[in-house]
Amino acid sequence: MVDSIAAAGESDGQQRNVEYILLAEFDIDRGAILKHQYPRPTGADDSHLAELMLPDGAHARESDWTMFFLNQKAPDESGKVSDEGPPLLYVLNLVRTKHDKEVRRGAIVKAMAVCTRHRFIHIYRPILMLALENYYRAPTEETLAELYNSANKMDLACMPQLSRHETTILRFSDDQNMFEERFMQLESEKKLLDSLVHAAERLDIAQDSTLAEVTALASEDSAAAAVNRVTFSDTNASRMRAQSTRNKDRRFFDTEIVYSGVKLPIRVPMTVYPEEIGDFSLIQLLTTFGGSLPASSNSKSTHPHLESSGQYTHQIILLMNGMLTQKRVIFLGHGKPAGEVANYVLAAVALGSGGGGVLRGFANRAFPYTNLTNLDTLLSFSGYIAGVTNPAFEEHPEWWDLLCNINTGKVTISPALLMPGGGGSQLKSQTESLRRSLDSVSLSRNRSFSSREGKPDKWNNLDTDFIQDLMLAIERHYGEVAIRAKVESYVRRFMSLVPLYEYERDGVTRLGDSAHIVAAEKTGVDGYCISPGDKESRDREIGFYQNRIEGFIGTQAYDNAAADYQSMHASSFIRGIDIAHMVYCLRNSTNLDVNEVEAIYKHLDEQVVTDEQVTELLASLPQSQGGLQPLAYGFYHPSPTIRLYAVRLFEKIEGNQAGARYVRSTNFFHQCAFSNLRHAFAC
């Protein structure tokens, strides 16, 4: 039976909710063993899987959760990671200890895991708990088969496949019914399909009847039913439809899994970014390592890639620098549950990738939980991010570059970490020379000093302001999405500086168009600009982050960003202008003259025409940051041309399903201004 299922799974090429079910147990004589792989072997080493499924200290606690990944691709000799091969699988594992005086050592330890392509692996927690409990009662392969079949029967047919821009809109939307029409359309199509099936059953059509006959008969039956509904109960049906969608948060897709006769409600998140895996807490990571403890290092010299502010570098910035420059990072939680340690690793992946949505490639080299048996595999990955519970890792600094101790909240730089390129002293002298030149510029413009080594406030506060903003938001109980948005904005700002630095250094960049950079210096807002803000502030930031940028260039995240730029540039619906830059100018610039403002509105009016282009524009105007307010400023401009452009833009936005909700959610006075101006221009 198992062989036939495995053969069918390999031949039909169908993507299932769950690919494999694994079962491991601890044998007092043989140690950790992998007893079952259903419906077929994963291809990974059995002993390796068993060790990961039964973490250190699992026998000391009643239950524990662990996570690990399958099909991770190690870099080749040149440091590149191939895009070919099987997809990355995310594994959620539950290990449980049941005490029994009648067995040797007085306890039975078993672990069960699901392997899936879904990044929202936490939705399988309830069914995994029930299945492992059933396996203790009936330790057979049929128990695994029931779990496998139940999980794969979870219906996701009515879950819309949102584009990247639509995901961003929904993620930061104040309207929980955003994209309601997409959900209802799929639900209606499913109801129609169900009615076809039911009609075929009622009419007792033979199995070999033609599809055309089935469709014709079912259509007639559905049409007759529709007429009756319209004639007799149209009002009641409309009311029922309204009640069915009321209070539904479309940021989640509601479905269910039926297991052993029990219906388990499942909420699938619709706003997951590519590098967000599971249900972790970035706030927990920031609060644990966000204290005033300075990063420690036995090295007398400052590492240029990591300590961007010297000895005053905040620990979170130190971790961020380590992630962006592809350093080896270990989270040590001695005595902690493996699941808790894994959550720190997943949060670090989101931190380095910019809230999960700016950079990618971190998940491929992340090991949420690992141990000494996996050391060889771990060391084959440059810049891994790993979670461990064994304190032996702390005693071997040659294995890691940054050690984040969860128990103490302390980040340690490995004394064995070498300076980049062997030219640390030369790089340091160049940095100090650049710092002195920047300090002299700042000093001439601002006589305000900080107490730290006599450096201007601006120099010391580039990262400090970011950390203070994060911690203040956490103190004010901002949610996870808001905190991740701040991290995303910070990493996007850093990424906007990389192509400018590359162009200034080499005359070419892989992350942008050199011609656009040249045009931006000459034309300002009337054109294209990779990085918002004035040139002087950009140059100052480039100087501050120079070492981080140099460490970032050449990493796997950098290569992925270059590939993503090319693909996004080719697939973008809006060409020739930088939407993010123009929105930034409208939102923040106070010294734009009439011609510059008119140029922005003119470009937007010319480029934003189709429904897809409107959606792309809305993605740069999240409702959590004011929505259409930057565009609405045009309603009050003295120039009638600008007011006309603003009205035309709003009319196009209003014709979009998501855009219509944006318009309705704008300030009442903006809506009145839009209505009055539209009427005035129409007359």
Side-chain angles (χ1 to χ4, degrees):
M1 174 181 174
V2 174
D3 293 339
S4 63
I5 293 177
E10 292 174 354
S11 62
D12 59 16
Q14 180 183 356
Q15 181 175 333
R16 296 177 173 84
N17 296 330
V18 170
E19 300 290 337
Y20 307 101
I21 304 294
L22 307 178
L23 193 286
E25 59 185 30
F26 184 82
D27 185 275
I28 192 171
D29 298 315
R30 301 163 57 192
I33 59 173
L34 186 67
K35 193 166 186 179
H36 295 294
Q37 300 180 73
Y38 188 88
R40 58 192 179 276
T42 64
D45 181 75
D46 290 5
S47 60
H48 170 62
L49 291 176
E51 291 288 346
L52 291 179
M53 293 177 66
L54 297 169
D56 298 334
H59 63 279
R61 51 182 58 91
E62 183 178 342
S63 64
D64 196 1
W65 295 92
T66 59
M67 282 161 279
F68 55 93
F69 305 149
L70 295 180
N71 302 331
Q72 289 169 295
K73 303 176 180 64
D76 57 22
E77 296 179 356
S78 63
K80 304 298 181 183
V81 177
S82 174
D83 292 331
E84 301 178 355
L88 192 64
L89 293 180
Y90 310 101
V91 184
L92 177 66
N93 175 70
L94 171 62
V95 55
R96 179 166 291 173
T97 301
K98 289 204 170 184
H99 297 280
D100 188 343
K101 296 181 180 180
E102 297 181 359
V103 300
R104 295 168 64 187
R105 296 189 66 177
I108 303 174
V109 183
K110 298 181 185 294
M112 184 179 289
V114 295
C115 309
T116 175
R117 300 188 191 191
H118 295 156
R119 295 187 299 275
F120 39 84
I121 55 177
H122 58 281
I123 68 171
Y124 296 105
R125 282 177 178 259
I127 190 174
L128 200 54
M129 294 172 64
L130 293 179
L132 184 54
E133 188 67 29
N134 284 350
Y135 186 84
Y136 267 100
R137 292 194 294 264
T140 64
E141 196 171 71
E142 283 70 22
T143 303
L144 275 66
E146 183 181 10
L147 169 61
Y148 178 83
N149 294 328
S150 297
N152 282 309
K153 287 180 180 177
M154 179 176 62
D155 189 5
L156 300 178
C158 294
M159 185 174 74
Q161 300 299 315
L162 301 180
S163 68
R164 173 57 189 271
H165 296 304
E166 291 171 333
T167 300
T168 302
I169 292 172
L170 183 59
R171 183 183 179 95
F172 301 111
S173 174
D174 298 328
D175 186 354
Q176 68 178 14
N177 292 320
M178 187 68 71
F179 299 115
E180 174 78 17
E181 298 80 7
R182 296 278 297 278
F183 286 87
M184 296 183 67
Q185 179 183 356
L186 291 174
E187 291 169 0
S188 299
E189 292 174 356
K190 187 176 186 301
K191 289 180 181 179
L192 178 59
L193 181 61
D194 291 341
S195 69
L196 294 175
V197 175
H198 294 157
E201 293 175 353
R202 289 197 303 270
L203 295 172
D204 195 27
I205 297 177
Q207 187 175 358
D208 58 346
S209 296
T210 63
L211 180 60
E213 293 175 339
V214 175
T215 304
L217 291 170
S219 298
E220 293 175 2
D221 186 75
S222 300
V227 171
N228 291 333
R229 286 196 299 269
V230 172
T231 304
F232 299 105
S233 58
D234 181 66
T235 302
N236 291 334
S238 299
R239 185 180 301 114
M240 291 177 64
R241 284 196 300 271
Q243 292 175 351
S244 66
T245 59
R246 186 181 304 162
N247 297 327
K248 277 194 174 183
D249 189 347
R250 292 306 188 181
R251 289 168 291 191
F252 299 89
F253 175 74
D254 295 319
T255 184
E256 64 181 16
I257 295 179
V258 180
Y259 176 74
S260 294
V262 179
K263 290 185 177 181
L264 302 172
I266 303 295
R267 301 199 80 194
V268 180
M270 295 290 298
T271 59
V272 178
Y273 274 165
E275 295 285 306
E276 290 179 311
I277 305 161
D279 189 22
F280 61 88
S281 173
L282 184 57
I283 293 177
Q284 183 183 37
L285 172 69
L286 296 173
T287 52
T288 300
F289 298 100
S292 58
L293 285 175
S296 64
S297 174
N298 294 329
S299 176
K300 295 181 180 179
S301 59
T302 299
H303 196 282
H305 288 177
L306 297 177
E307 297 169 287
S308 52
S309 296
Q311 60 179 320
Y312 301 108
T313 304
H314 193 278
Q315 292 195 145
I316 296 299
I317 297 299
L318 191 70
L319 178 58
M320 176 72 80
N321 289 338
M323 298 289 292
L324 291 175
T325 58
Q326 200 166 303
K327 299 297 185 287
R328 299 173 299 173
V329 179
I330 279 185
F331 286 88
L332 172 62
H334 179 50
K336 297 282 187 181
E340 182 178 341
V341 177
N343 284 330
Y344 279 94
V345 175
L346 299 179
V349 169
L351 178 72
S353 61
V358 182
L359 300 170
R360 63 180 177 88
F362 294 90
N364 179 68
R365 48 191 176 90
F367 299 82
Y369 170 75
T370 192
N371 49 35
L372 289 174
T373 62
N374 194 37
L375 183 60
D376 290 340
T377 302
L378 194 66
L379 295 179
S380 67
F381 282 76
S382 58
Y384 62 75
I385 312 106
V388 300
T389 59
N390 194 326
F393 281 89
E394 189 173 13
E395 301 171 1
H396 292 273
E398 69 274 11
W399 293 348
W400 43 268
D401 301 323
L402 281 178
L403 179 74
C404 305
N405 194 314
I406 298 172
N407 295 330
T408 63
K410 188 176 182 180
V411 178
T412 303
I413 302 174
S414 171
L417 179 60
L418 300 177
M419 290 294 175
S425 59
Q426 180 182 359
L427 183 58
K428 183 178 181 181
S429 64
Q430 292 175 350
T431 303
E432 291 300 327
S433 176
L434 176 63
R435 174 178 294 194
R436 285 193 296 270
S437 63
L438 289 174
D439 288 349
S440 62
V441 173
S442 300
L443 181 59
S444 63
R445 301 178 69 247
N446 185 0
R447 291 291 178 177
S448 175
F449 286 83
S450 71
S451 60
R452 298 177 180 176
E453 302 177 347
K455 295 296 186 293
D457 290 331
K458 184 62 179 176
W459 177 264
N460 288 314
N461 288 338
L462 282 173
D463 283 337
T464 303
D465 287 346
F466 168 64
I467 294 298
Q468 289 177 345
D469 184 37
L470 279 179
M471 295 308 167
L472 183 60
I474 293 174
E475 290 178 5
R476 294 177 176 177
H477 305 291
Y478 280 45
E480 269 287 318
V481 174
I483 298 300
R484 296 183 196 185
K486 291 181 180 295
V487 174
E488 178 182 356
S489 177
Y490 176 81
V491 176
R492 285 195 186 280
R493 178 67 180 178
F494 167 74
M495 287 300 298
S496 71
L497 302 172
V498 177
L500 295 177
Y501 173 80
E502 280 190 303
Y503 179 77
E504 291 179 2
R505 187 189 67 176
D506 304 326
V508 66
T509 176
R510 295 175 59 192
L511 298 179
D513 191 320
S514 301
H516 288 158
I517 296 178
V518 175
E521 298 296 334
K522 297 178 180 179
T523 59
V525 298
D526 187 12
Y528 181 94
C529 184
I530 294 179
S531 175
D534 61 274
K535 187 178 186 304
E536 185 177 352
S537 63
R538 292 201 305 269
D539 291 343
R540 187 181 299 113
E541 290 189 46
I542 290 174
F544 184 81
Y545 292 119
Q546 175 184 355
N547 292 330
R548 180 200 281 180
I549 294 173
E550 290 180 344
F552 172 72
I553 295 174
T555 64
Q556 186 58 42
Y558 170 84
D559 292 337
N560 290 336
D564 291 343
Y565 171 78
Q566 297 298 330
S567 61
M568 287 189 296
H569 182 71
S571 61
S572 178
F573 295 103
I574 300 177
R575 305 287 181 87
I577 61 173
D578 188 345
I579 291 292
H581 171 64
M582 292 188 171
V583 170
Y584 177 90
C585 290
L586 292 177
R587 179 182 284 123
N588 300 295
S589 297
T590 58
N591 57 347
L592 297 177
D593 59 36
V594 175
N595 293 331
E596 290 176 324
V597 175
E598 183 175 333
I600 291 178
Y601 279 96
K602 180 181 179 181
H603 280 302
L604 293 177
D605 181 59
E606 292 174 347
Q607 293 290 333
V608 180
V609 178
T610 66
D611 201 55
E612 293 83 2
Q613 290 169 339
V614 171
T615 300
E616 192 168 332
L617 172 63
L618 295 178
S620 298
L621 294 162
Q623 288 185 314
S624 61
Q625 298 181 20
L628 300 178
Q629 186 164 320
L631 300 182
Y633 293 151
F635 294 148
Y636 314 103
H637 201 280
S639 171
T641 304
I642 294 175
R643 295 199 299 271
L644 176 60
Y645 281 139
V647 170
R648 292 175 59 175
L649 265 177
F650 263 66
E651 288 177 338
K652 296 173 186 177
I653 293 171
E654 195 176 35
N656 179 281
Q657 289 182 346
R661 297 181 180 276
Y662 264 72
V663 173
R664 290 197 296 269
S665 67
T666 54
N667 185 287
F668 173 74
F669 296 101
H670 295 332
Q671 294 188 49
C672 291
F674 172 47
S675 178
N676 294 336
L677 287 173
R678 177 161 57 177
H679 177 73
F681 285 122
C683 296

